[in-house]
Amino acid sequence: MLPKSLWVPSFPVYRYAKSFTQDLLIQILRTGPLPKHIAFIMDGNRRFAKSNNLRLVEGHVAGSESLLRILELCYQLGIKTVTVYAFSIENFNRPKNEQEALFELIRSKLLLMVEKSSIAEKYGISIRILGDRSLIPVDILAGIESTEESTKNNSKSIFNICFPYTSRNDIAHAIKSVVNKAQNGEIRYNTIGEQTLEREMYTGQSEPLDILVRTSGVSRLSDFMLWESHQNCWIEFIDELWPEFKAWNLYVIILKWSYYKAKELKDLELTQAKRFNNETGNGCLKK
Ligand SMILES: CC(C)=CCC/C(C)=C/CC/C(C)=C/COP(=O)(O)OP(=O)(O)O
């Protein structure tokens, strides 16, 4: 028998109530500050499969469906960039059939995303693959590069798929790239700094990372977004397995971030006003 989480959502009344509540929550959230860039470590697919007596690959399929739901919510909210950890370089240690199934799943879901009237067109999404492409099998690479190519002129939203990726590999790739440019005379040695490296990272063209979410109750970053999460990034570890990560979980995370961001902006405003008063003497005026 299918798990409850898979058949209950198909009831029309459930669907209507859910869509009504979601629209309302989106309107409420849009009144406050919103993150520009959110990243997900989509952890827990195999445990989901195991606990629901599904085949391991079905856990990944459920994970990819969860991803499409969450992506749509992010873009509906107006979040510009979503980055996901789809395949770590460490995942090459997994059984060959699992690797192949994951590659095929990523390829087929991306092709679905770029079909006419689908999500890429609806939200103007530019799909970008971040990672070491030389490790991707050629037939899969051709398929996913075609989705990149067909969405490259979309400028409203960005979907970064980290695949095959680790942060340390990215940092090494950025350093090589800076060294190359320095050798070719494109960069002068004495101008090299953190920002030079930042521009050469795979996320160099994306907004700074505001929120990083990891599901499945594990509190590690697993070599993901190590550089990007160093400053002003809100990190959330959620107990739900990725296929069970719900809209509600996302709203709570964004609501919390938005509350603290609004408070931070208010504090900044007050500090600036105080400084202005001190400098101009406005605060000391006596009648
Ligand atoms: C289009 C597109 C980008 C699709 C993405 C498909 C997808 C959800 C990939 C994630 C794969 C992955 C290694 C998840 C981690 O859970 P796990 O397998 O480590 O599960 P566990 O923590 O329960 O062992």
Side-chain angles (χ1 to χ4, degrees):
M1 199 173 116
L2 276 175
K4 215 163 67 182
S5 59
L6 296 183
W7 59 264
V8 170
S10 60
F11 280 113
V13 178
Y14 175 92
R15 288 217 308 261
Y16 174 78
K18 193 173 152 198
S19 135
F20 176 80
T21 321
Q22 277 187 358
D23 287 350
L24 187 68
L25 278 168
I26 287 173
Q27 294 313 321
I28 295 171
L29 285 170
R30 287 178 82 121
T31 60
L34 280 169
K36 292 193 174 80
H37 185 177
I38 183 163
F40 296 97
I41 303 179
M42 309 178 285
D43 199 22
N45 293 348
R46 293 184 300 183
R47 274 168 283 163
F48 174 81
K50 211 168 162 199
S51 62
N52 288 291
N53 292 321
L54 300 170
R55 286 182 303 126
L56 184 147
V57 174
E58 288 171 308
H60 290 310
V61 172
S64 65
E65 277 152 16
S66 179
L67 168 62
L68 292 184
R69 283 193 301 272
I70 295 300
L71 261 187
E72 178 134 30
L73 286 176
C74 289
Y75 296 130
Q76 270 173 358
L77 273 165
I79 298 172
K80 183 171 168 95
T81 306
V82 180
T83 301
V84 296
Y85 206 2
F87 196 92
S88 143
I89 292 177
E90 310 297 326
N91 290 152
F92 281 109
N93 294 323
R94 292 195 179 189
K96 204 99 199 119
N97 61 344
E98 186 185 349
Q99 291 178 34
E100 285 165 4
L102 265 171
F103 289 151
E104 182 47 38
L105 185 63
I106 295 171
R107 191 190 68 92
S108 61
K109 289 291 174 194
L110 289 184
L111 286 173
L112 259 182
M113 279 184 69
V114 299
E115 271 179 6
K116 205 157 168 45
S117 314
S118 62
I119 178 167
E121 193 176 294
K122 193 166 165 196
Y123 298 99
I125 305 169
S126 161
I127 293 177
R128 299 176 186 175
I129 309 300
L130 313 188
D132 188 346
R133 292 171 195 236
S134 69
L135 301 172
I136 304 177
V138 246
D139 52 328
I140 301 288
L141 184 62
I144 59 173
E145 282 187 338
S146 75
T147 66
E148 266 188 316
E149 181 60 27
S150 66
T151 60
K152 72 172 186 217
N153 294 325
N154 292 345
S155 56
K156 236 174 110 196
S157 324
I158 296 170
F159 178 33
N160 290 326
I161 304 146
C162 296
F163 159 73
Y165 171 96
T166 56
S167 272
R168 286 174 305 157
N169 176 274
D170 188 9
I171 293 167
H173 133 268
I175 292 172
K176 274 188 212 154
S177 177
V178 171
V179 170
N180 260 335
K181 287 191 175 169
Q183 279 174 340
N184 297 340
E186 288 170 59
I187 303 178
R188 271 186 296 134
Y189 173 77
N190 55 2
T191 63
I192 296 174
E194 286 162 25
Q195 277 171 7
T196 332
L197 208 57
E198 188 148 301
R199 275 195 296 274
E200 297 303 319
M201 304 284 294
Y202 289 128
T203 49
Q205 306 301 315
S206 301
E207 312 272 352
L209 185 61
D210 294 306
I211 305 178
L212 170 57
V213 180
R214 180 177 190 146
T215 54
S216 91
V218 177
S219 321
R220 288 196 303 264
L221 294 183
S222 298
D223 217 343
F224 183 62
M225 299 284 114
L226 300 185
W227 176 279
E228 294 80 354
S229 59
H230 75 289
Q231 193 192 25
N232 283 335
C233 176
W234 181 280
I235 302 178
E236 281 277 352
F237 296 107
I238 304 291
D239 281 338
E240 306 283 331
L241 301 176
W242 175 252
E244 293 172 333
F245 183 78
K246 290 171 204 67
W248 178 245
N249 297 111
L250 181 72
Y251 295 142
V252 172
I253 293 170
I254 293 179
L255 200 64
K256 273 202 286 184
W257 181 89
S258 184
Y259 171 78
Y260 284 105
K261 199 75 194 167
K263 197 167 162 303
E264 197 180 292
L265 291 174
K266 194 79 211 154
D267 288 348
L268 190 73
E269 234 174 64
L270 284 174
T271 319
Q272 280 171 347
K274 252 192 214 159
R275 193 177 306 142
F276 176 78
N277 284 344
N278 286 343
E279 279 167 12
T280 56
N282 281 352
C284 314
L285 283 180
K286 287 191 182 123
K287 285 194 177 165

